Amino acid sequence: MLTTKDTVSLTGPLDRADLRRAATPLTVTVDDAARARIDRGRELFHGLRHGDGGGARHIYGATTGFGALVGYAGRADEADQCDNTLAHLGAGQGPDLPHEIARGALLLRARSLAQGFSGVSAEVVERIAAMFATTFVPAVPRYGSVGASGDLIPLAYATQALRGRGHAYVDGRRMAAADALAAAGLRPLALDGRDALALVNGTSVTTAATALALDSVRGAHRALTALTCLLADLLGCDPAFLDEDLLRAYGHPGAVAVGARMRHTLDGTVPSGTRPLQEPYSIRCAPQLLGAAEDALGYVDGVVAADLGGVSDNPLFFPGGTGTGGTGGTGTGGTGTGKVVHGGNFFGQPAAFAADLLASVTAQLGNLAERQLDLLVDPARNGGLPPMLAVEPGAQHGLQGVQLATTAFVAEIRRAATPAGMQSLPTNLHNQDVVPFGTQAALRSYDMAELLGLLCGSLALGLRQAVHVGARRPTAPGCGELLDALAGLIDPVEPDRPLDADVRAAARLLVTGDLIRPDAP
């Protein structure tokens, strides 16, 4: 079984890097403080559930049915109540989620439960933590969540896989979940109704997909900033469009920050003196566009950080509170030592709005990359380089196929960019009469981020080929370093050859690599 030295603690907030690491085996720890918190919450749940020191409380999902059927009693046996929770949620459809989303969601679920507000047993959290040392991945269908009462259906599939039901992957092979657990050296989870509901009643799939999409778009934004500098240097543009006073007067902090990074990368560039007084907007307005993206991504950063550090579940148990009795009959019940509160902390609206904004940013960054490549292959605008950057136009076709593909990528991104977070549809007998569709927004943004990376890789291919067919060597050292990195990865296109693998390789380098010099602002 694969191992890793990486370690993630469930005590503090997670970050995007933790989710990336969770795609492969790593050590996840549950420290003594976390165990004590979980045990206190569990004791409070049992006390309220069984009436310690007073009458037993009605607790959603423990003594009741689910969703619109909350007014009916649940099953008396706690193991049966677990089955009652999960069986009816086996209604998902479609292809399995990417493995990094499925494992990232379980890491987030474990972290939320480890805060001690969910009333679960410590063994549940510890057993999920132990799973991360293996290559076990639950098979989770893509479609079925509205992101309102958490990601109920996808998380139910993940939970069932941990119980040995359904399907899962080990070492990349899909098989029956019971076989996968055995191959990974894991035992099936045994759950009661509270454990089962707590595992499904959160927005962990939505949060994982949004965070991973944000990580990719952040990488593409960084890469496109550097590629724009390389484009300007290769064409001999005057960098005055990055003037510090100009951008400060614009008034937007993102443009100021991006402009500073671009000036740093272009430090030392020598204009050719042959370019027009004003460059096309895809160059001249790049700091304003990329800066607006930076400001928008800052908002998404904040939402993702809150979701990575928050608790998503219902109900929540607060040990040590004084209790307030019933509140409007909706579910706040207390004792002298704590309270249970029924509410809506599983409602994924913040991530829905953030993922929709991320989709808009992705679409405009994709537009910029596609337009810059179009400029680069056009002899009327590229400073006299051959059409399509072909060494022998007609006998060879250079970047013609790549440019066609970028048009398709942009069209697909635009089609997918329709906001999801306001497409509410009532469901569940109008119990869920307003829903955020955060899961759809997040998964859509995740897919779009991959296409944006391919657009960056396509532009990089064009920039590398431009030098091969006659563009000048970069005059700025920072741009020269970037070109050398690309040239070390991608051979010149002469003669024509399939370029799909080259685009993917460039995308991986750009989105995951640090293409700005380490001392960049």
Side-chain angles (χ1 to χ4, degrees), residues 58-61 63-74 428-429 431:
H58 285 299
I59 297 174
Y60 173 67
T63 63
T64 72
F66 304 99
L69 304 182
V70 64
Y72 297 85
N428 198 232
L429 302 184
N431 168 52

Side-chain angles (χ1 to χ4, degrees), residues 30-224:
V30 184
D31 63 19
D32 291 341
R35 288 188 191 90
R37 287 195 306 270
I38 298 167
D39 287 342
R40 284 196 298 272
R42 185 65 165 182
E43 290 168 6
L44 175 59
F45 161 68
H46 276 300
L48 294 169
R49 167 73 173 81
H50 298 290
D52 294 357
R57 303 286 180 181
H58 285 299
I59 297 174
Y60 173 67
T63 63
T64 72
F66 304 99
L69 304 182
V70 64
Y72 297 85
R75 299 180 188 175
D77 181 84
E78 292 187 348
D80 284 348
Q81 184 70 343
C82 168
D83 289 335
N84 194 23
T85 307
L86 299 173
H88 77 286
L89 295 174
Q93 301 289 349
D96 293 339
L97 290 178
H99 291 187
E100 66 175 355
I101 294 180
R103 280 176 62 98
L106 282 177
L107 181 63
L108 283 162
R109 207 74 222 109
R111 188 266 163 199
S112 180
L113 301 181
Q115 305 318 298
F117 299 118
S118 291
V120 301
S121 68
E123 182 181 3
V124 169
V125 180
E126 290 170 344
R127 296 272 299 281
I128 295 174
M131 180 216 75
F132 285 97
T134 76
T135 61
F136 183 91
V137 186
V140 179
R142 179 179 179 120
Y143 302 116
S145 175
V146 298
S149 200
D151 296 310
L152 290 171
I153 285 177
L155 286 174
Y157 278 85
T159 302
Q160 292 283 54
L162 291 169
R163 298 176 73 208
R165 307 183 184 194
H167 293 84
Y169 296 82
V170 170
D171 295 335
R173 293 185 299 113
R174 197 177 195 271
M175 62 188 77
D179 295 335
L181 288 171
L186 301 170
R187 290 182 291 115
L189 270 182
L191 306 172
D192 64 16
R194 172 84 289 265
D195 294 329
L197 182 61
L199 280 166
V200 304
N201 227 7
T203 58
S204 300
V205 172
T206 298
T207 299
T210 303
L212 292 166
L214 172 61
D215 197 51
S216 294
V217 174
R218 273 284 184 195
H221 180 272
R222 180 182 63 243
L224 190 51

Side-chain angles (χ1 to χ4, degrees), residues 9-23:
S9 170
L10 296 182
T11 297
L14 302 174
D15 59 29
R16 302 197 308 267
D18 293 330
L19 296 189
R20 287 287 183 203
R21 288 197 293 270

Side-chain angles (χ1 to χ4, degrees), residues 192-454:
D192 64 16
R194 172 84 289 265
D195 294 329
L197 182 61
L199 280 166
V200 304
N201 227 7
T203 58
S204 300
V205 172
T206 298
T207 299
T210 303
L212 292 166
L214 172 61
D215 197 51
S216 294
V217 174
R218 273 284 184 195
H221 180 272
R222 180 182 63 243
L224 190 51
T225 302
L227 292 173
T228 301
C229 293
L230 180 56
L231 173 64
D233 197 350
L234 295 185
L235 295 179
C237 302
D238 190 325
F241 67 96
L242 297 169
D243 182 83
E244 184 175 2
D245 292 328
L246 176 78
L247 295 178
R248 188 181 299 112
Y250 190 54
H252 293 275
V256 172
V258 167
R261 291 199 290 270
M262 293 179 72
R263 287 194 302 275
H264 183 83
T265 303
L266 279 167
D267 185 35
T269 190
V270 179
S272 66
T274 61
R275 297 294 297 173
L277 176 65
Q278 296 193 138
E279 294 290 345
Y281 284 17
S282 60
I283 294 175
R284 183 172 22 130
C285 298
Q288 287 81 8
L289 189 159
L290 292 164
E294 177 65 39
D295 288 334
L297 291 174
Y299 170 77
V300 182
D301 286 339
V303 172
V304 167
D307 281 346
L308 292 176
V311 173
S312 178
D313 197 0
N314 176 59
L316 295 183
F317 300 84
F318 295 93
T322 59
T324 58
T327 300
T330 59
T332 300
T335 70
T337 58
K339 61 182 179 180
V340 55
V341 184
H342 294 76
N345 279 14
F346 47 39
F347 198 78
Q349 193 70 65
F353 286 154
D356 282 342
L357 180 57
L358 188 61
S360 294
V361 170
T362 300
Q364 186 66 332
L365 292 178
N367 289 335
L368 179 63
E370 187 274 336
R371 286 293 84 198
Q372 288 181 345
L373 180 61
D374 182 77
L375 184 158
L376 192 59
V377 301
D378 184 355
R381 295 178 293 148
N382 66 11
L385 298 175
M388 293 297 171
L389 304 179
V391 174
E392 186 180 352
Q396 297 180 24
H397 296 83
L399 272 289
Q400 183 163 276
V402 169
Q403 201 243 353
L404 284 170
T406 62
T407 305
F409 299 159
V410 166
E412 181 64 19
I413 286 175
R414 290 179 181 178
R415 184 197 62 77
T418 303
M422 38 68 71
Q423 305 280 356
S424 181
L425 288 171
T427 188
N428 198 232
L429 302 184
H430 289 265
N431 168 52
Q432 296 183 25
D433 56 350
V434 59
V435 300
F437 285 124
T439 322
Q440 286 85 343
L443 294 173
R444 176 272 323 268
S445 291
Y446 179 89
D447 294 340
M448 292 171 66
E450 181 179 6
L451 290 172
L452 177 59
L454 295 175

